[in-house]
Amino acid sequence: KQEVTQIPAALSVPEGENLVLNCSFTDSAIYNLQWFRQDPGKGLTSLLLIQSSQREQTSGRLNASLDKSSGRSTLYIAASQPGDSATYLCALLDPIGANNLFFGTGTRLTVIP
Amino acid sequence: AAGVIQSPRHLIKEKRETATLKCYPIPRHDTVYWYQQGPGQDPQFLISFYEKMQSDKGSIPDRFSAQQFSDYHSELNMSSLELGDSALYFCASSHRDRVMNTEAFFGQGTRLTVV
Protein backbone atom coordinates (compact mmCIF):
# COMPACT_ATOMS: atom_id res chain seq x y z
CA LYS A 1 0.00 0.00 0.00
CA GLN A 2 1.20 3.45 -0.89
CA GLU A 3 2.48 5.50 2.04
CA VAL A 4 2.96 9.24 1.81
CA THR A 5 5.02 11.19 4.32
CA GLN A 6 5.61 14.89 4.72
CA ILE A 7 8.50 16.32 6.67
CA PRO A 8 8.63 18.54 8.62
CA ALA A 9 5.24 18.39 10.31
CA ALA A 10 5.49 22.07 11.15
CA LEU A 11 7.63 24.91 9.90
CA SER A 12 7.96 28.56 10.95
CA VAL A 13 9.80 31.07 8.79
CA PRO A 14 10.12 34.86 8.74
CA GLU A 15 8.34 36.72 6.02
CA GLY A 16 10.26 36.96 2.77
CA GLU A 17 12.14 33.70 3.10
CA ASN A 18 12.13 31.05 0.42
CA LEU A 19 11.17 27.61 1.69
CA VAL A 20 10.81 24.01 0.61
CA LEU A 21 8.23 21.49 1.72
CA ASN A 22 8.90 17.81 1.21
CA CYS A 23 6.69 14.89 0.27
CA SER A 24 7.91 11.29 0.09
CA PHE A 25 6.09 8.25 -1.21
CA THR A 26 6.92 4.57 -1.19
CA ASP A 27 5.65 3.37 -4.57
CA SER A 28 6.93 5.24 -7.61
CA ALA A 29 4.20 3.91 -9.91
CA ILE A 30 1.96 6.95 -9.68
CA TYR A 31 -0.33 8.71 -12.12
CA ASN A 32 0.11 12.16 -10.69
CA LEU A 33 0.75 14.17 -7.55
CA GLN A 34 -1.19 17.14 -6.29
CA TRP A 35 -0.27 19.78 -3.75
CA PHE A 36 -3.10 21.25 -1.68
CA ARG A 37 -3.40 24.09 0.77
CA GLN A 38 -5.75 23.89 3.73
CA ASP A 39 -6.62 26.75 6.05
CA PRO A 40 -7.83 25.77 9.55
CA GLY A 41 -11.27 24.22 9.41
CA LYS A 42 -11.56 24.91 5.70
CA GLY A 43 -11.55 22.91 2.53
CA LEU A 44 -8.57 21.87 0.44
CA THR A 45 -7.48 24.15 -2.36
CA SER A 46 -5.58 22.57 -5.21
CA LEU A 47 -2.31 24.39 -5.84
CA LEU A 48 -0.46 22.34 -8.43
CA LEU A 49 -0.85 19.07 -10.27
CA ILE A 50 2.19 17.23 -11.62
CA GLN A 51 1.61 14.37 -14.00
CA SER A 52 3.88 11.36 -13.68
CA SER A 53 5.60 12.27 -16.96
CA GLN A 54 6.42 15.78 -15.75
CA ARG A 55 9.32 16.98 -13.65
CA GLU A 56 7.90 20.24 -12.34
CA GLN A 57 5.03 22.68 -12.42
CA THR A 58 5.00 26.37 -11.60
CA SER A 59 2.26 28.74 -10.52
CA GLY A 60 3.22 32.21 -9.40
CA ARG A 61 5.52 31.95 -6.40
CA LEU A 62 5.00 28.20 -6.20
CA ASN A 63 7.11 25.55 -7.89
CA ALA A 64 6.54 21.84 -7.43
CA SER A 65 8.98 19.19 -8.55
CA LEU A 66 8.59 15.45 -8.91
CA ASP A 67 11.27 12.76 -8.84
CA LYS A 68 9.49 9.44 -9.17
CA SER A 69 12.63 7.34 -9.02
CA SER A 70 13.45 8.60 -5.56
CA GLY A 71 9.81 8.84 -4.46
CA ARG A 72 9.97 12.55 -3.71
CA SER A 73 8.20 15.76 -4.48
CA THR A 74 9.00 19.22 -3.23
CA LEU A 75 6.95 22.39 -3.07
CA TYR A 76 9.06 25.51 -3.26
CA ILE A 77 7.51 28.76 -2.06
CA ALA A 78 9.39 31.92 -2.98
CA ALA A 79 9.30 35.14 -0.99
CA SER A 80 6.93 33.77 1.64
CA GLN A 81 4.11 35.97 2.95
CA PRO A 82 1.99 35.77 6.12
CA GLY A 83 -0.95 34.83 3.90
CA ASP A 84 0.90 31.64 2.96
CA SER A 85 0.38 30.36 6.50
CA ALA A 86 -1.64 27.16 6.19
CA THR A 87 -1.26 23.40 6.14
CA TYR A 88 0.13 22.04 2.90
CA LEU A 89 -0.77 18.51 1.86
CA CYS A 90 0.50 16.41 -0.97
CA ALA A 91 -1.68 13.67 -2.43
CA LEU A 92 -1.06 11.20 -5.16
CA LEU A 93 -3.08 9.08 -7.50
CA ASP A 94 -1.63 5.67 -8.25
CA PRO A 95 -2.71 2.80 -10.50
CA ILE A 96 -3.84 0.63 -7.59
CA GLY A 97 -6.06 3.23 -5.96
CA ALA A 98 -6.98 5.07 -9.13
CA ASN A 99 -10.15 6.33 -7.52
CA ASN A 100 -8.52 7.31 -4.28
CA LEU A 101 -6.05 10.03 -3.45
CA PHE A 102 -3.36 8.99 -0.98
CA PHE A 103 -2.68 11.95 1.31
CA GLY A 104 0.47 12.87 3.12
CA THR A 105 0.44 13.89 6.75
CA GLY A 106 0.76 17.58 5.95
CA THR A 107 3.15 20.38 6.88
CA ARG A 108 1.79 23.26 8.94
CA LEU A 109 3.49 26.42 7.73
CA THR A 110 3.60 29.65 9.70
CA VAL A 111 5.06 32.74 8.07
CA ILE A 112 5.96 35.31 10.71
CA PRO A 113 5.47 38.96 9.74
CA ALA B 1 -16.19 28.79 -12.03
CA ALA B 2 -18.43 26.22 -10.40
CA GLY B 3 -16.92 24.36 -7.49
CA VAL B 4 -17.81 21.30 -5.45
CA ILE B 5 -20.78 22.11 -3.25
CA GLN B 6 -21.36 20.35 0.05
CA SER B 7 -24.33 20.66 2.30
CA PRO B 8 -24.90 21.28 5.06
CA ARG B 9 -21.77 23.17 6.10
CA HIS B 10 -22.35 22.41 9.75
CA LEU B 11 -24.34 19.66 11.41
CA ILE B 12 -24.90 18.80 15.04
CA LYS B 13 -26.37 15.42 15.91
CA GLU B 14 -26.82 13.38 19.02
CA LYS B 15 -25.34 9.95 19.58
CA ARG B 16 -27.20 7.15 17.79
CA GLU B 17 -28.86 9.60 15.41
CA THR B 18 -28.58 9.51 11.64
CA ALA B 19 -26.99 12.10 9.36
CA THR B 20 -26.98 12.61 5.60
CA LEU B 21 -24.28 14.64 3.91
CA LYS B 22 -24.68 15.82 0.33
CA CYS B 23 -22.14 16.55 -2.35
CA TYR B 24 -22.68 18.21 -5.71
CA PRO B 25 -19.64 17.73 -7.95
CA ILE B 26 -18.35 20.14 -10.53
CA PRO B 27 -20.43 19.83 -13.73
CA ARG B 28 -19.19 17.09 -16.07
CA HIS B 29 -17.09 15.48 -13.34
CA ASP B 30 -17.74 11.76 -13.20
CA THR B 31 -15.86 10.77 -10.03
CA VAL B 32 -16.72 11.63 -6.44
CA TYR B 33 -14.57 10.91 -3.40
CA TRP B 34 -15.49 11.14 0.29
CA TYR B 35 -12.93 11.85 3.00
CA GLN B 36 -13.07 12.17 6.77
CA GLN B 37 -10.66 14.48 8.55
CA GLY B 38 -10.35 14.40 12.31
CA PRO B 39 -8.73 17.25 14.27
CA GLY B 40 -5.06 17.56 13.38
CA GLN B 41 -5.19 14.62 11.01
CA ASP B 42 -4.81 14.25 7.28
CA PRO B 43 -7.90 13.33 5.27
CA GLN B 44 -8.79 9.64 5.43
CA PHE B 45 -10.37 8.13 2.36
CA LEU B 46 -13.83 6.67 2.88
CA ILE B 47 -15.29 5.76 -0.50
CA SER B 48 -15.40 6.83 -4.13
CA PHE B 49 -17.74 6.54 -7.09
CA TYR B 50 -17.11 6.60 -10.80
CA GLU B 51 -20.02 6.97 -13.18
CA LYS B 52 -22.50 6.26 -10.39
CA MET B 53 -20.86 2.98 -9.42
CA GLN B 54 -18.79 2.45 -6.29
CA SER B 55 -15.20 2.21 -7.43
CA ASP B 56 -13.05 2.13 -4.31
CA LYS B 57 -13.60 1.70 -0.61
CA GLY B 58 -11.42 2.84 2.23
CA SER B 59 -11.87 2.94 5.96
CA ILE B 60 -15.61 3.51 5.87
CA PRO B 61 -17.47 2.04 8.85
CA ASP B 62 -20.30 -0.38 8.18
CA ARG B 63 -22.62 2.18 9.78
CA PHE B 64 -21.95 4.48 6.84
CA SER B 65 -23.22 4.08 3.31
CA ALA B 66 -23.02 6.24 0.24
CA GLN B 67 -24.28 6.42 -3.29
CA GLN B 68 -24.01 8.51 -6.40
CA PHE B 69 -27.21 9.46 -8.16
CA SER B 70 -28.11 9.83 -11.82
CA ASP B 71 -27.31 13.56 -11.70
CA TYR B 72 -23.87 12.64 -10.25
CA HIS B 73 -24.52 14.15 -6.86
CA SER B 74 -23.58 11.91 -3.97
CA GLU B 75 -24.87 11.37 -0.46
CA LEU B 76 -23.08 9.95 2.55
CA ASN B 77 -25.46 8.38 5.04
CA MET B 78 -24.25 7.89 8.56
CA SER B 79 -26.26 5.92 11.11
CA SER B 80 -25.88 5.13 14.80
CA LEU B 81 -23.60 8.12 15.16
CA GLU B 82 -20.82 7.95 17.70
CA LEU B 83 -18.83 10.72 19.36
CA GLY B 84 -15.80 9.63 17.34
CA ASP B 85 -17.60 10.43 14.11
CA SER B 86 -17.20 14.13 14.84
CA ALA B 87 -14.98 15.39 12.04
CA LEU B 88 -14.81 17.37 8.84
CA TYR B 89 -16.21 15.41 5.93
CA PHE B 90 -14.94 16.38 2.52
CA CYS B 91 -16.21 15.55 -0.88
CA ALA B 92 -14.03 15.88 -3.97
CA SER B 93 -14.74 15.45 -7.63
CA SER B 94 -12.69 14.87 -10.75
CA HIS B 95 -13.07 14.04 -14.40
CA ARG B 96 -11.27 10.91 -15.58
CA ASP B 97 -10.71 11.96 -19.12
CA ARG B 98 -7.02 11.10 -18.99
CA VAL B 99 -6.21 9.60 -15.66
CA MET B 100 -2.76 11.18 -15.46
CA ASN B 101 -4.36 14.56 -15.80
CA THR B 102 -7.03 13.83 -13.20
CA GLU B 103 -7.13 16.75 -10.81
CA ALA B 104 -9.32 16.51 -7.74
CA PHE B 105 -11.23 19.51 -6.49
CA PHE B 106 -12.51 19.59 -2.96
CA GLY B 107 -15.60 21.09 -1.43
CA GLN B 108 -15.52 23.25 1.70
CA GLY B 109 -16.54 20.32 3.83
CA THR B 110 -19.28 19.52 6.31
CA ARG B 111 -18.36 19.82 9.95
CA LEU B 112 -20.23 17.14 11.85
CA THR B 113 -20.39 17.36 15.62
CA VAL B 114 -21.86 14.45 17.52
CA VAL B 115 -22.89 15.28 21.07
Side-chain angles (χ1 to χ4, degrees):
Chain A
K1 180 187 170 185
Q2 182 75 262
E3 292 183 10
V4 186
T5 306
Q6 290 183 247
I7 294 173
L11 181 64
S12 290
V13 300
E15 181 178 2
E17 263 199 17
N18 303 325
L19 59 101
V20 175
L21 306 180
N22 298 293
C23 172
S24 300
F25 46 95
T26 54
D27 189 339
S28 61
I30 66 171
Y31 282 138
N32 63 43
L33 186 144
Q34 248 179 293
W35 280 93
F36 292 91
R37 169 192 172 131
Q38 185 176 30
D39 294 286
K42 305 290 186 183
L44 286 82
T45 301
S46 179
L47 297 173
L48 289 164
L49 170 75
I50 311 178
Q51 297 179 28
S52 64
S53 59
Q54 298 173 328
R55 297 282 293 181
E56 65 178 327
Q57 283 287 327
T58 298
S59 176
R61 293 182 294 109
L62 305 179
N63 176 277
S65 68
L66 175 64
D67 183 346
K68 282 198 311 176
S69 61
S70 64
R72 293 181 58 187
S73 175
T74 61
L75 178 67
Y76 174 83
I77 302 177
S80 59
Q81 303 171 357
D84 295 331
S85 299
T87 296
Y88 290 81
L89 295 138
C90 65
L92 53 89
L93 198 66
D94 74 11
I96 303 301
N99 287 299
N100 167 22
L101 285 169
F102 289 94
F103 274 90
T105 46
T107 294
R108 181 175 297 175
L109 173 66
T110 302
V111 180
I112 304 165
Chain B
V4 178
I5 307 295
Q6 289 187 246
S7 68
R9 292 293 307 278
H10 303 273
L11 190 59
I12 300 175
K13 290 285 186 178
E14 296 187 354
K15 283 194 325 182
R16 293 180 288 278
E17 282 194 319
T18 297
T20 297
L21 278 55
K22 297 185 179 182
C23 170
Y24 297 86
I26 292 172
R28 292 183 296 282
H29 278 196
D30 48 29
T31 303
V32 167
Y33 318 74
W34 284 98
Y35 286 83
Q36 176 191 60
Q37 186 177 32
Q41 298 179 358
D42 54 291
Q44 297 297 310
F45 173 68
L46 293 178
I47 194 167
S48 62
F49 294 87
Y50 170 64
E51 283 292 346
K52 293 159 281 186
M53 299 286 289
Q54 180 183 309
S55 61
D56 203 358
K57 201 169 182 179
S59 52
I60 184 170
D62 292 340
R63 300 177 288 108
F64 295 5
S65 65
Q67 60 183 123
Q68 187 177 30
F69 294 85
S70 58
D71 63 352
Y72 291 93
H73 95 272
S74 179
E75 294 184 4
L76 177 66
N77 298 295
M78 310 159 71
S79 62
S80 303
L81 288 170
E82 302 173 356
L83 296 178
D85 296 329
S86 297
L88 266 173
Y89 289 84
F90 289 107
C91 168
S93 74
S94 66
H95 178 56
R96 290 191 67 188
D97 181 17
R98 290 172 52 241
V99 66
M100 289 188 183
N101 202 32
T102 298
E103 184 172 3
F105 295 88
F106 280 74
Q108 289 300 300
T110 294
R111 180 174 294 281
L112 172 67
T113 303
V114 181
V115 298

